[in-house]
Amino acid sequence: MDIATVIGLALGFALMLLGVVSGGLALTDLIDIPSVMITFGGAAAATIISFPWTSTIGVGAVTKKAFQNPPSDLPGLITTLVSFSEKARREGLLALEDDINELPEEFLKKGIQLVVDGTDPELVRNIMETEIGNTATRHAYGRAWWDAYAGFAPGFGMLGTLVGLVGMLKNLGGGDASAIGQGMATALITTLYGSLAQNLFAAPIVRKLTRRSEDELVIKQVMVEGTLSIQSGDNPRIVKEKLASFLTPAERTALKDDGD
């Protein structure tokens, strides 16, 4: 569970509710079913139109990644690649074949297998980087659903406000000032809903999914550089220093402590 996502959402809604109560409003003052249907339902409908049905069906699985904290041990990965480099220099590339099936990451398995099979280094890089590019494209397509929703929500919020204003103006002739004020308040709720849907949920989800994608692509890039270094027979210490450039200062310290 990604505690940052959970805390952020909980804090955002809590502060919103606190602001409402502190402003002298009741929570029921901000609940309007027609506004919910126009804003949230309209934005969802427009987003569904924008994508194939399979994208809408799969949006739940994509969204779940924003609430998960996938395990990532980049220093451990580098340590594994350095050990592979040592073994390859000592026993030859073919000696790595017995270790391939023990690797948990399919992407790395493929890269090491290509190296063991004697594939040209440039071809190895092209194959692995093509897969990285395809992965980035797939991630972008997956989060595009929420990106579109974030764009539509404020527009439908404004549309709901206009609908509310039309209803208010129709009753303007009645001369009831309180009814006019109530109508205006109800009309503005949809604008609130649209801004809330965009800024407290959809847009942050897109950013979190983008960060998840960036982290995964960095790991894959480490695998590419490590695999090619193993193939070229680089000194294990050089391999370690090269891959350590992908780490934060704290992670580099941990890697140094583990390796030395």
Side-chain angles (χ1 to χ4, degrees):
M1 178 67 71
D2 186 345
I3 193 66
T5 301
V6 175
I7 289 178
L9 285 173
L11 183 62
F13 280 109
L15 291 175
M16 281 285 299
L17 295 177
L18 181 61
V20 169
V21 173
S22 299
L25 297 173
L27 295 182
T28 54
D29 292 334
L30 297 182
I31 298 176
D32 186 69
I33 300 303
S35 296
V36 170
M37 292 190 294
I38 291 174
T39 305
F40 296 103
T47 306
I48 289 171
I49 292 171
S50 303
F51 294 90
W53 182 242
T54 52
S55 296
T56 299
I57 293 297
V59 72
V62 173
T63 306
K64 186 168 65 174
K65 295 179 180 179
F67 293 87
Q68 295 174 332
N69 197 12
S72 175
D73 183 13
L74 201 49
L77 171 62
I78 293 175
T79 299
T80 298
L81 290 169
V82 171
S83 68
F84 274 33
S85 176
E86 293 172 345
K87 185 173 183 178
R89 279 172 62 90
R90 185 174 61 250
E91 304 176 28
L93 292 174
L94 290 177
L96 300 177
E97 191 163 19
D98 295 335
D99 300 318
I100 292 176
N101 292 330
E102 298 178 7
L103 295 172
E105 174 61 50
E106 289 297 327
F107 181 74
L108 183 56
K109 283 183 181 180
K110 179 186 292 186
I112 299 297
Q113 186 64 62
L114 288 171
V115 167
V116 171
D117 291 342
T119 308
D120 182 76
E122 190 63 29
L123 183 55
V124 173
R125 178 180 289 278
N126 288 340
I127 291 174
M128 297 186 77
E129 291 191 344
T130 296
E131 183 162 342
I132 289 179
N134 290 335
T135 298
T137 300
R138 187 170 63 252
H139 288 175
Y141 191 74
R143 64 179 178 266
W145 199 98
W146 280 116
D147 197 21
Y149 189 96
F152 287 129
F156 276 94
M158 184 59 66
L159 179 62
T161 296
L162 293 176
V163 171
L165 289 176
V166 169
M168 183 193 72
L169 292 174
K170 286 185 62 177
N171 298 322
L172 193 61
D176 187 351
S178 62
I180 294 174
Q182 178 63 35
M184 176 65 77
T186 302
L188 291 176
I189 287 177
T190 54
T191 299
L192 171 65
Y193 285 172
S195 181
L196 191 65
Q198 179 190 46
N199 295 296
L200 192 55
F201 190 77
I205 289 296
V206 171
R207 290 181 180 237
K208 179 53 71 71
L209 291 175
T210 300
R211 180 57 185 269
R212 288 280 183 269
S213 176
E214 290 171 348
D215 290 344
E216 181 178 337
L217 295 180
V218 166
I219 292 173
K220 289 185 181 297
Q221 193 61 50
V222 169
M223 293 177 183
V224 172
E225 297 302 328
T227 299
L228 292 173
S229 293
I230 291 170
Q231 185 176 33
S232 63
D234 290 345
N235 186 295
R237 183 171 293 276
I238 300 300
V239 174
K240 183 177 180 179
E241 291 300 323
K242 179 192 297 186
L243 301 183
S245 64
F246 289 90
L247 301 176
T248 64
E251 289 174 327
R252 292 183 192 182
T253 300
L255 179 65
K256 183 177 180 180
D257 292 341
D258 291 340
D260 293 343

